[in-house]
Amino acid sequence: MARTLNRLGASGVQVKWPNDIYWQDKKLAGVLVEMTGQAGGAAHLVIGIGLNISMREESENIDQPWTRLEDACDAMPDKNTLTAALINDLTDALRDYEANGLSAFVGQWHKLDNFNGRPVKLLMGDKEVKGISRGINEQGAILLETEEGIIPYLGGEISLRGTEG
């Protein structure tokens, strides 16, 4: 999704682990994937994408910095072009994932990772871990550099807020 938006004129679009799209340190989109299936069998996915296209600026109920596609693009693509490009590129990415797994995407993730090399806070329920984000591994875990070394985490949400100290 980040590659597609960059190609369509929203240069500087990046990713935030595990499932957000950012532009200039502000949330532009979120992705939710629901999966069902049996181990070793076919998986069935429902993929939901929420993309801020042209939200009103007076959205006071949002508790994090956000932006919209019309601010990120030099020339806003029409909605049909945008939708077709996202569907086609997602279809290609899913085929690539099916053939090669996540390892084919790790290098691309590192190039687009908005938080790589930055101090972050990982929130996992009541637990917090502070460290330096070092990308993801081939299982999709975020890699945090802490006093104990680089540790992978598979769950949680990262934030730049409250990382000092």
Side-chain angles (χ1 to χ4, degrees):
M1 188 172 170
R3 288 190 324 247
T4 302
L5 295 174
N6 278 312
R7 182 172 49 81
L8 293 177
S11 61
V13 172
Q14 296 182 294
V15 294
K16 175 191 172 223
W17 184 89
N19 58 348
D20 289 332
I21 306 296
Y22 267 50
W23 184 71
Q24 295 186 351
D25 276 344
K26 298 174 188 164
K27 186 172 180 176
L28 175 62
V31 180
L32 179 63
V33 179
E34 295 286 334
M35 182 175 76
T36 61
Q38 300 293 329
H44 302 280
L45 301 175
V46 175
I47 301 172
I49 297 172
L51 175 59
N52 302 335
I53 294 177
S54 57
M55 294 172 52
R56 292 190 310 264
E57 292 194 31
E58 61 273 354
S59 297
E60 67 276 346
N61 294 332
I62 301 174
D63 68 347
Q64 63 182 299
W66 61 273
T67 192
R68 51 197 176 182
L69 188 59
E70 68 182 7
D71 294 333
C73 284
D74 296 328
M76 183 74 173
D78 69 78
K79 290 180 183 171
N80 289 334
T81 299
L82 174 63
T83 302
L86 287 169
I87 290 170
N88 290 334
D89 289 355
L90 178 59
T91 300
D92 291 344
L94 288 170
R95 285 187 183 120
D96 191 11
Y97 179 82
E98 184 176 28
N100 303 302
L102 188 61
S103 61
F105 295 90
V106 172
Q108 296 171 47
W109 180 279
H110 286 252
K111 291 177 187 173
L112 295 169
D113 190 344
N114 188 60
F115 287 44
N116 197 20
R118 298 170 76 178
V120 297
K121 178 171 52 174
L122 176 65
L123 308 171
M124 300 174 293
D126 293 338
K127 184 178 177 185
E128 288 184 8
V129 178
K130 291 183 180 179
I132 305 296
S133 177
R134 297 295 181 203
I136 63 171
N137 67 14
E138 291 186 1
Q139 288 73 44
I142 187 166
L143 301 172
L144 285 188
E145 182 178 341
T146 68
E147 293 176 356
E148 291 81 37
I150 297 178
I151 302 172
Y153 293 92
L154 281 169
E157 179 73 24
I158 61 171
S159 173
L160 291 174
R161 295 180 279 179
T163 57
E164 58 283 333

